[in-house]
Amino acid sequence: MLEIKKILLVGSGNVATHLAINLKSKNYNIQQVFSRSIENAKYLAKKVDSDYTDNPKNIVESDLTIIAVNDDSIIDVLDFLPDVPTVHTSGYTHINILKNSFTSYGVIYPLQSFKKNIELNFTDIPFLIEANTKEFENNLIEICSCLSANIIRVNSIQRKKIHLAAVFACNFSNHMQVIAKEIMDDAKINYELLIPLIKKTFSRLEEDPKMKQTGPAVRKDINILENHINLIQKDEHKEIYKLISNSIIKTHDNSN
């Protein structure tokens, strides 16, 4: 198995920041941070006692390169990276984007939402891994096991579907709260009134979501559904309400 201690980190955003700090805490050496933004690179490098650069010509060769940039930018950095074991951290991008650039390559995808200034306990975060060889897969398992107790091998197709499911479960559910706050603001009522209800809903996460569905759509209360639609100000919100309500009705029709 390869010995991996020195890491080149490509990126300085939310995922890169959390990975760098947590890997550093497990005695991995973040040898260098590369970022198009020299200020961001410098800021992160200072946190992990690392070198930094925004110049591809100054990139150092490490034991492992971690590409932690947005999906559209992965392809842009491949040509100037050294041929050492390399991973990206995307939930969506196929492993094969690395195939023609590196001998050993793979994916480390932490299934979590990251913000630089919000601390996270990595222990419970699922790390989805994929590699082009069994040996490199074992390396990734070893690295990720230092960070989390939840390591899962998946292929790129599975990872894409998990990423899609995460968008529905996390991003879309949060946007529903954005809309809810707009409605409360429009009524000049404090959004905090909804917080006990929201907390109760999300406290039952271990239950089958289909079995805990409530509301007028699952009851097929057409009168309330129509009146709700009439109350909604924005046309796009009306369409969202109709689509989700119809989906709930069909889901529970099919389950009977």
Side-chain angles (χ1 to χ4, degrees):
M1 198 161 65
L2 300 168
E3 183 178 3
I4 294 177
K5 281 299 177 183
K6 298 182 294 183
I7 296 173
L8 165 65
L9 184 64
V10 179
S12 56
N14 295 319
V15 175
T17 298
H18 280 276
L19 280 178
I21 292 170
N22 280 273
L23 286 167
K24 175 71 173 178
S25 74
K26 301 301 181 181
N27 297 317
Y28 284 94
N29 175 16
I30 309 301
Q31 192 174 15
Q32 187 180 66
V33 176
F34 169 83
S35 176
R36 299 291 190 183
S37 166
I38 193 64
E39 289 303 317
N40 289 346
K42 182 179 179 180
Y43 180 78
L44 178 52
K46 186 176 180 180
K47 283 180 173 288
V48 293
D49 191 24
S50 169
D51 182 27
Y52 62 92
T53 185
D54 65 345
N55 186 345
K57 294 180 180 179
N58 294 335
I59 283 178
V60 299
E61 185 171 308
S62 298
D63 300 325
L64 174 70
T65 299
I66 298 178
I67 303 172
V69 299
N70 64 56
D71 289 64
D72 291 340
S73 297
I74 294 174
I75 194 71
D76 297 332
V77 304
L78 300 183
D79 287 343
F80 55 76
L81 294 177
D83 183 10
V84 301
T86 299
V87 297
H88 71 65
T89 61
S90 166
Y92 182 79
T93 300
H94 201 285
I95 187 176
N96 285 345
I97 196 172
L98 307 175
K99 183 176 182 179
N100 296 326
S101 300
F102 310 102
T103 305
S104 297
Y105 55 93
V107 181
I108 294 175
Y109 171 47
L111 182 57
Q112 185 53 270
S113 177
F114 294 94
K115 290 288 186 182
K116 285 184 183 181
N117 58 342
I118 299 177
E119 291 187 13
L120 289 169
N121 179 1
F122 263 51
T123 306
D124 296 327
I125 295 176
F127 273 74
L128 312 185
I129 66 168
E130 184 179 7
N132 70 315
T133 67
K134 189 67 178 178
E135 180 185 22
F136 191 38
E137 181 184 88
N138 289 334
N139 278 118
L140 299 185
I141 291 172
E142 180 181 38
I143 294 167
C144 293
S145 293
C146 292
L147 302 175
S148 171
N150 195 355
I151 313 300
I152 305 166
R153 300 176 183 88
V154 298
N155 61 43
S156 287
I157 301 303
Q158 291 171 319
R159 181 164 38 82
K160 284 187 177 188
K161 290 183 178 180
I162 292 167
H163 187 260
L164 172 61
V167 168
F168 273 92
C170 179
N171 305 138
F172 287 179
S173 62
N174 186 77
H175 186 62
M176 294 303 101
Q177 293 171 54
V178 171
I179 294 173
K181 186 176 185 304
E182 287 186 19
I183 292 170
M184 295 293 278
D185 289 346
D186 182 64
K188 295 181 172 53
I189 299 173
N190 196 320
Y191 170 74
E192 291 183 2
L193 185 67
L194 295 178
I195 289 177
L197 174 64
I198 294 169
K199 284 184 176 180
K200 179 63 176 177
T201 299
F202 284 94
S203 71
R204 299 167 59 195
L205 292 176
E206 289 77 11
E207 299 178 33
D208 183 339
K210 185 187 289 187
M211 300 305 296
K212 67 179 184 180
Q213 186 71 58
T214 62
V218 75
R219 296 193 304 268
K220 298 181 185 176
D221 196 330
I222 305 303
N223 185 52
I224 289 180
L225 293 175
E226 290 178 349
N227 277 282
H228 276 175
I229 291 167
N230 290 334
L231 281 173
I232 297 171
Q233 300 292 319
K234 294 183 177 180
D235 288 342
E236 65 184 271
H237 292 171
K238 288 179 187 285
E239 291 305 311
I240 291 170
Y241 186 97
K242 290 176 186 177
L243 284 169
I244 293 177
S245 295
N246 287 335
S247 181
I248 291 170
I249 291 170
K250 288 179 182 178
T251 297
H252 288 271
D253 274 347
N254 293 336
S255 64
N256 293 333

